[in-house]
């Protein structure tokens, strides 16, 4: 069987960077599914699609081609042949991604692409619905989380380093808004599955989290 590791968790839990490091250590690919919803959000915004219009967003998603490629520093996300990786991390696109990710038709399109990729290649896939929907038979299922305050603090420090002056309170408020939207949507809301190992990184360093996950993978893979 192909080694598939499913990793879900809320915004700012460090999933992407942790997933990247763990995948590197294991010598497997990392698929960042959030980037795919971000790419759909960006594309819909650029096309002037009304994000509140589910039918229009779904039709737009069906009309575009979203794919991923392996770059030197990790995943590149591509829409209709254009590498959009550098345009999908703005607050506007983050919120748009969370909105378009509510729609069943959008999710169906993305899940199909993700399942196809993971079926033939050993991968660590991170997102929100990976354990329950994308890879229900994954070798290892993880739910990576941390307190909202700690997640906001990490995001705030990251933004400050980039020269973004957004105050901590605003970062925490946006994070809570996205948590609420991701956890309360009708289709595959974010939640840990019963068979997932919960990793709470609130009081752990980056390296501790990576080592802890590698130990879990080792144990499950040889069980
Ligand atoms: O992980 P991220 O912040 O890049 O994800 C962007 C948005 O996409 C986030 O609001 C939740 C959504 N998402 C999802 O619904 N399902 C996934 N598998 C991945 C992300």
């Amino acid at each position: 069987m192909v080694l598939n590791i499913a990793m879900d968790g809320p915004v700012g839990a460090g999933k992407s960077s942790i997933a990247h490091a763990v995948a590197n250590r294991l010598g497997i690919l990392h698929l960042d599914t959030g980037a795919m919803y971000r790419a759909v959000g960006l594309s819909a915004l650029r096309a002037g699609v009304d994000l509140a219009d589910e039918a229009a967003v779904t039709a737009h998603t069906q009309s575009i081609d979203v794919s991923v490629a392996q770059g030197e520093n990790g995943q590149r996300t591509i829409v209709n042949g254009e590498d959009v990786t550098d345009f999908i991390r703005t607050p506007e696109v983050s919120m748009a991604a969370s909105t378009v990710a509510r729609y069943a038709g959008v999710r169906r399109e993305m899940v199909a692409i993700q399942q196809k990729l993971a079926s033939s290649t050993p991968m660590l896939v991170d997102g929100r619905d990976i354990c329950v929907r994308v890879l229900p038979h994954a070798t290892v299922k993880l739910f990576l989380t941390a307190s909202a305050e700690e997640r906001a603090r990490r995001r705030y420090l990251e933004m400050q380093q980039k020269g973004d002056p957004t105050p901590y309170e605003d970062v925490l408020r946006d994070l809570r808004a996205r948590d609420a939207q991701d956890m309360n949507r009708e289709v595959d809301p974010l939640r840990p599955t019963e068979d997932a190992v919960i990793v709470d990184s609130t009081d752990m360093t980056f390296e501790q989290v990576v080592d802890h996950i590698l130990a879990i993978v080792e144990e499950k893979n040889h069980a």
Side-chain angles (χ1 to χ4, degrees):
M1 214 176 87
V2 180
L3 172 67
N4 280 162
I5 303 172
M7 184 189 285
D8 291 320
V11 58
K15 278 191 315 293
S16 284
S17 41
I18 294 284
H20 187 66
V22 171
N24 265 346
R25 294 267 291 268
L26 291 169
I28 61 175
L29 287 181
H30 164 219
L31 178 64
D32 172 359
T33 62
M36 298 170 70
Y37 290 94
R38 287 171 179 274
V40 172
L42 173 74
S43 176
L45 281 174
R46 279 180 174 177
V49 177
D50 175 5
L51 295 188
D53 184 340
E54 177 167 356
V57 173
T58 303
H60 180 76
T61 308
Q62 285 162 348
S63 76
I64 61 174
D65 177 54
V66 179
S67 60
V68 297
Q70 201 54 29
E72 255 181 47
N73 295 314
Q75 176 174 315
R76 307 304 295 183
T77 309
I78 296 152
V79 177
N80 290 343
E82 181 197 351
D83 183 339
V84 295
T85 312
D86 296 337
F87 310 117
I88 57 176
R89 301 282 156 196
T90 65
E92 193 191 10
V93 174
S94 298
M95 211 58 211
S98 179
T99 301
V100 302
R102 296 198 327 243
Y103 302 142
V106 173
R107 305 199 67 80
R108 205 177 310 122
E109 296 290 318
M110 294 305 113
V111 169
I113 300 169
Q114 294 154 13
Q115 287 178 329
K116 188 156 179 246
L117 290 169
S119 66
S120 53
T121 313
M123 272 187 188
L124 191 162
V125 184
D126 92 72
R128 304 291 193 286
D129 61 340
I130 312 305
C131 294
V132 72
R133 178 73 50 204
V134 179
L135 300 174
H137 305 297
T139 326
V140 184
K141 292 184 178 183
L142 302 160
F143 191 85
L144 182 64
T145 190
S147 70
E149 290 75 14
E150 175 61 17
R151 288 185 283 127
R153 194 186 67 83
R154 291 177 191 166
R155 182 57 51 101
Y156 169 72
L157 292 177
E158 220 176 80
M159 288 163 83
Q160 277 210 322
Q161 271 174 6
K162 287 184 192 152
D164 184 329
T166 310
Y168 169 80
E169 287 70 30
D170 291 9
V171 177
L172 180 61
R173 190 199 55 220
D174 285 358
L175 184 134
R176 288 206 160 114
R178 281 220 283 149
D179 269 1
Q181 187 152 274
D182 294 341
M183 288 168 164
N184 296 319
R185 67 170 177 238
E186 273 173 38
V187 193
D188 293 343
L190 172 69
R191 66 190 143 79
T193 52
E194 267 183 24
D195 52 357
V197 180
I198 297 179
V199 178
D200 185 334
S201 73
T202 307
D203 298 316
M204 291 167 92
T205 65
F206 184 86
E207 275 309 323
Q208 282 172 335
V209 179
V210 171
D211 288 342
H212 183 53
I213 291 176
L214 286 169
I216 295 168
V217 172
E218 173 84 0
E219 190 189 313
K220 294 262 178 197
N221 207 17
H222 294 106

